[in-house]
Amino acid sequence: MSQDSKKPRKKDVKKEKVIQAQNNVKEDVDTDTNKNVKMSKFGPSISFPYQRVWSRCILIVGVLFIVWYNSRNGKEIQLAKQKDILVTRTQTVECSEEFKNELNQFPGCLPEKCGRMVTDKLVTSAESDVLLKLAINGMSLGGSDGGATILDLHSGALSKGSKFINIYQLEGKDKIFNAADFAIYKVVKTKIQHSIAHYFGVNVDKIHLTKPTFFSQMTNVPAKTIHDEYWHPHVDKETYEHFHYTSLLYLNDYDRDFKGGRFIFINENNVNSTVEPRKGRVLLFTSGSENVHMVEKVQSGTRYALTVSFTCNSNAAITDPSYRNIMK
């Protein structure tokens, strides 16, 4: 073999330089790519500039949102939603000392526990319809100038303008009421009375119907008098001396027939318990300061309910309204 044949040809040298340059470029590309590519089980995942910063920002925003959401919703417990159909749902609270001390004067009337109970299975739809019709027809003879109208079948008190009138002294009362309506009213009252006795563990003969027991109609019309301002937090026992057990029967539906108007218990730990009205729903609770409560302002529509209250003091008892006596 000649000496010349051992020397690399110019073409071969040139080709090797090109290949070497390509390899160097490839190595540079691979090095840069490895900086921005993380291998995963299923292949490479691309990492963009500032990805870590953005990820941390999103994480922080998410945490802040969760904290805000929980703090906002942690202040309210849904004791009963409108869509719920409850056999019973209860919430026990500690009786206030003044409430227990007073009821100790009435043997057989001190509750085994204080609290709240909601049921949708006590009053039938047909009974609710009768009472709603009775309330609407009765209130058609009066009506408050403000947003709250009441009708008390026992006394005949009916809101009219900024005052109260006696509905039983008005012409046309015989077209509003009938004996069947009053019979249904008494049946519903008796059901509620027995339910209170059962849930709170008291003798049914020891709790007596007391005043005021009334229908209420609430709208978003601005209040004209203090009687129209139903939304203030209060204690029934402080407002009405002889109240010991309070009940509410709702006659139409929250978020369907009206907006707003939820019933709210204001608890000591600032976590409120809310009840959304549902047609035929009954809410029972002890009337002492353990059950501070309020009703939200009605935003639209008309809210109807019946308040039925009971006392342990037989001297403060009232009788059922009598259709025969009313029509005299």
Side-chain angles (χ1 to χ4, degrees), residues 112-260:
E112 295 176 352
K113 58 195 172 189
C114 286
R116 309 102 187 218
M117 190 271 274
V118 184
T119 177
D120 296 314
K121 296 295 185 178
L122 186 63
V123 177
T124 68
S125 179
E127 290 167 341
S128 299
D129 286 339
V130 169
L131 295 179
L132 176 59
K133 182 180 178 182
L134 192 159
I136 293 174
N137 290 343
M139 292 176 182
S140 68
L141 298 178
S144 169
D145 287 339
T149 296
I150 70 163
L151 169 61
D152 186 339
L153 290 185
H154 298 265
S155 67
L158 172 65
S159 304
K160 187 173 179 62
S162 59
K163 300 179 180 179
F164 291 92
I165 59 173
N166 189 335
I167 195 172
Y168 299 138
Q169 295 178 354
L170 300 178
E171 292 184 5
K173 65 179 185 293
D174 55 328
K175 297 178 181 178
I176 296 296
F177 305 115
N178 58 58
D181 292 341
F182 280 80
I184 293 296
Y185 180 87
K186 183 176 180 179
V187 166
V188 169
K189 181 270 302 183
T190 303
K191 284 184 178 183
I192 293 173
Q193 183 176 7
H194 281 264
S195 186
I196 287 174
H198 175 75
Y199 174 66
F200 292 108
V202 299
N203 190 326
V204 69
D205 297 327
K206 297 296 184 179
I207 55 175
H208 315 279
L209 191 67
T210 192
K211 62 181 181 181
T213 287
F214 56 91
F215 291 96
S216 61
Q217 177 196 79
M218 297 177 180
T219 69
N220 63 349
V221 174
K224 301 295 183 183
T225 71
I226 190 64
H227 300 293
D228 300 320
E229 297 180 12
Y230 54 81
W231 53 83
H232 299 296
H234 65 279
V235 174
D236 282 354
K237 186 72 182 65
E238 295 176 359
T239 305
Y240 306 108
E241 178 184 358
H242 299 297
F243 273 33
H244 293 124
Y245 298 95
T246 306
S247 74
L248 285 162
L249 166 61
Y250 297 107
L251 300 176
N252 60 348
D253 291 298
Y254 166 80
D255 211 29
R256 293 182 181 177
D257 302 308
F258 57 92
K259 304 288 186 181

